Amino acid sequence: MSCEFERFLSQQREFERALQGIRPMIEAWNSFPRSVLESVTKLDLLCEHFTLPVDYLASTSRILDGLARRPTIESLGLLNNMSSPSVEALQSECTQLAELARSLATSAHDIQRVLRPMLDSLASTEALLGLERFNERWVEVAMQPQLAFQEFATKHLGLAATATEVARQNRLSLLVSSGHLLESITKGLNIAAIMRPAVEELWTGPISEVNIYHALDGELECLDFEQTAIDTDSAVEETRSAKIAAVGARLVEYVYNLNVESEREGQPPLFKPTTKALMACAVIPSRVAHDAASFAEVIDHLFFLLYEGSGSAKRLTARCDENGLRALWRLKHLRLGARHDLDHGVDTDVKKKNRQVAEAYLTLIGQVAPRSTVDWTSAQLALYRDLSDMLEAIWFREGGYTVRRS
C-alpha cells in the first residue's frame, strides 16, 4: 500500500475519531453558536462521503439541487418515467398526500416540509439509476422505505384532519421529523449498489418488509399531541426504531469502508458482496424485530453479511485478534439458537449450545430469553451496537486490533 494511501486512510480515521468525540455533546448543542453547528454538520457530511465514488456524489448533488428548485417527483426524471408498480404507487401517494395536506388548510410551505425529506431520499436512487447500478428489480426494493413512510404519513394527516390546531401542527412536525429517518433507512441499499461488482447479479428473491414506520408508530402511541410545541425531533430520535435505523446504517457503512480499504490494498473485499450480503445491507437499517421470527430474519441477514461474507470469519481473524470478535461469535450463537435444534446431539453439546445462546441474550438484554416485543427490539438494538462497535474498532485499529499483512 502506498504511503499516500496510508496517509489518506489515517487522516480519515483521525477525522472520524474527532467527530466521535463531538457527538456526545449533542444534547447541549442548543447553546452552541449556529456557525459552530453548521461547521460540525459539514465535517460530519465530509467524513461520511470520504470514500464514496465521486461520480455518485456529484450526480446525487445535482439531483438534490434540482429538487431544491422544484420539489416534486417529476424532477426525478429516470424514476418518474419508469414503468414500475412501486414507482406508480409512490407517484399516486405523493399526489394524495399533497391533496390531503391542502385539505387541512396548511400552507404550501408545510406541504413541502412534509414531502421534501421523502423526495430527497430518492435522489440517491435516481443517481444510481443514472450510473446503471440499479435495475428495475432493485428499484422495487428501493421504493419500499418511501412507501412505508407514505402509509405512516397518510395515517397522521388523516388524524390531523379532525384534530385541534395544536395537534395538527404537532402531527405535521412529527411527519417532518420521521421523514428524516429515510436517510438512514435507505443508506444500506445505496451502499450495497455501490459495492456491487459488475459480475454480481442483483437481487431476484423476495422483497423484505420495511417495518420501521410501523414500529415507530407503536412507540409514539403515548405521545400527547395536545401539548404545545412538542419536540418531535427528540421524540423520534429516542425511539428504538430510529436508533436501529441509525446504528444499522452505521454498521453497513463500516462494512463498506473496510471493503474499500481492502481493495485499495490490493486484497479481496473483507466482506464479499454476494447477492445475499447486498440484500442484507438493505434490510439491516430498515427492519425492526418484534418477535422470535422477525428477530431470526434480522439475525440471518447479519450472519450473511458479516460471518458468511467474511469467509466464515477467516478474513476477520486474519486481520485481528479473535477476542475482539466477541460480538460476531455472539451473533453466531444467536443464529444457532434461531435456526437449529439445540437439543440435537450429545448432552454435553446440548448444554454448551444452550448456555451460549443464554449468555448471548443475557449480555444483550440482561435475561436469558426475550419475553416481549420490547425485549426483541432491545436485543436487536444492543446487537447492532455491539457489532457496529466491533467494526468501528477494526476500522480505527483500536482495542488490540492489528492488521496482519500477508
Side-chain angles (χ1 to χ4, degrees):
M1 183 167 64
S2 71
C3 292
E4 182 179 354
F5 181 59
E6 181 68 48
R7 190 162 54 250
F8 170 85
L9 287 176
S10 177
Q11 287 173 348
Q12 179 172 3
R13 290 191 181 92
E14 289 303 318
F15 195 20
E16 291 180 348
R17 203 190 315 270
L19 284 169
Q20 293 290 348
I22 291 172
R23 287 193 180 100
M25 298 186 294
I26 194 168
E27 292 182 0
W29 275 21
N30 288 336
S31 63
F32 279 61
R34 180 177 293 276
S35 59
V36 173
L37 300 182
E38 289 176 351
S39 296
V40 171
T41 300
K42 289 177 182 177
L43 285 171
D44 208 1
L45 186 64
L46 180 59
C47 172
E48 180 183 321
H49 289 170
F50 219 59
T51 55
L52 293 176
V54 173
D55 56 352
Y56 166 73
L57 292 175
S59 179
T60 303
S61 180
R62 284 195 303 272
I63 294 163
L64 287 170
D65 287 343
L67 285 169
R69 293 189 298 271
R70 187 189 179 210
T72 66
I73 196 168
E74 286 75 23
S75 296
L76 304 169
L78 295 175
L79 272 174
N80 190 55
N81 294 321
M82 282 194 71
S83 177
S84 155
S86 292
V87 173
E88 290 171 4
L90 188 79
Q91 292 167 326
S92 174
E93 285 293 326
C94 275
T95 301
Q96 291 179 29
L97 283 175
E99 291 175 353
L100 183 55
R102 289 190 193 95
S103 72
L104 299 177
T106 56
S107 66
H109 174 68
D110 284 338
I111 297 168
Q112 287 185 11
R113 284 177 64 234
V114 170
L115 294 180
R116 182 65 188 275
M118 184 188 67
L119 292 170
D120 284 353
S121 72
L122 293 167
S124 296
T125 303
E126 179 81 0
L128 290 165
L129 272 171
L131 296 171
E132 298 183 348
R133 305 297 293 182
F134 270 164
N135 66 8
E136 290 189 10
R137 179 62 174 169
W138 274 91
V139 169
E140 293 298 310
V141 178
M143 294 297 99
Q144 299 310 305
Q146 288 81 10
L147 290 171
F149 171 74
Q150 286 182 329
E151 182 179 351
F152 176 82
T154 299
K155 173 189 171 179
H156 283 276
L157 285 175
L159 291 170
T162 57
T164 64
E165 180 59 26
V166 170
R168 182 181 299 123
Q169 291 304 318
N170 280 329
R171 288 193 186 275
L172 288 172
S173 179
L174 174 65
L175 292 181
V176 175
S177 299
S178 58
H180 290 305
L181 289 183
L182 286 166
E183 181 179 356
S184 294
I185 296 170
T186 59
K187 181 177 288 186
L189 181 59
N190 295 335
I191 287 177
I194 293 168
M195 283 196 294
R196 179 180 68 88
V199 296
E200 184 67 41
E201 291 295 324
L202 283 168
W203 183 254
T204 57
I207 297 175
S208 183
E209 177 190 4
V210 172
N211 71 339
I212 282 276
Y213 284 106
H214 178 76
L216 177 69
D217 212 14
E219 290 192 74
L220 296 174
E221 277 183 343
C222 61
L223 206 59
D224 182 4
F225 288 96
E226 294 297 341
Q227 289 184 27
T228 304
I230 295 175
D231 182 357
T232 56
D233 285 344
S234 295
V236 170
E237 288 168 5
E238 288 303 311
T239 63
R240 290 179 298 278
S241 301
K243 290 173 183 176
I244 283 169
V247 182
R250 187 164 71 242
L251 188 157
V252 173
E253 198 167 15
Y254 280 128
V255 167
Y256 171 77
N257 283 343
L258 287 164
N259 275 358
V260 169
E261 179 181 39
S262 292
E263 289 172 350
R264 289 179 181 174
E265 289 176 335
Q267 302 294 325
L270 191 58
F271 302 96
K272 187 177 180 181
T274 63
T275 302
K276 286 197 299 185
L278 295 176
M279 189 59 183
C281 291
V283 171
I284 288 167
S286 67
R287 188 86 167 93
V288 176
H290 54 87
D291 58 16
S294 56
F295 187 78
E297 289 174 13
V298 170
I299 291 296
D300 281 345
H301 288 290
L302 289 166
F303 190 81
F304 296 150
L305 178 64
L306 301 177
Y307 186 80
E308 285 189 358
S310 60
S312 299
K314 291 183 180 66
R315 285 188 289 278
L316 286 174
T317 53
R319 274 178 166 254
C320 55
D321 298 331
E322 284 202 27
N323 286 338
L325 300 175
R326 286 186 293 272
L328 188 65
W329 309 142
R330 191 172 299 125
L331 169 65
K332 187 179 177 183
H333 296 151
L334 289 170
R335 189 165 191 270
L336 180 70
R339 295 303 187 195
H340 298 276
D341 182 4
L342 297 184
D343 294 328
H344 182 72
V346 298
D347 286 347
T348 53
D349 287 342
V350 169
K351 289 179 180 178
K352 180 182 178 181
K353 288 185 287 187
N354 275 293
R355 186 180 69 253
Q356 288 173 331
V357 174
E359 287 174 352
Y361 281 119
L362 193 62
T363 300
L364 296 177
I365 58 173
Q367 58 193 51
V368 297
R371 297 188 179 93
S372 66
T373 295
V374 171
D375 288 345
W376 289 112
T377 306
S378 297
Q380 179 187 5
L381 178 56
L383 181 61
Y384 276 24
R385 283 173 168 160
D386 280 359
L387 291 168
S388 179
D389 288 347
M390 179 191 77
L391 295 174
E392 180 182 302
I394 296 172
W395 172 242
F396 287 135
R397 298 176 186 174
E398 293 176 339
Y401 290 95
T402 55
V403 175
R404 301 173 182 172
R405 305 193 189 286
S406 56

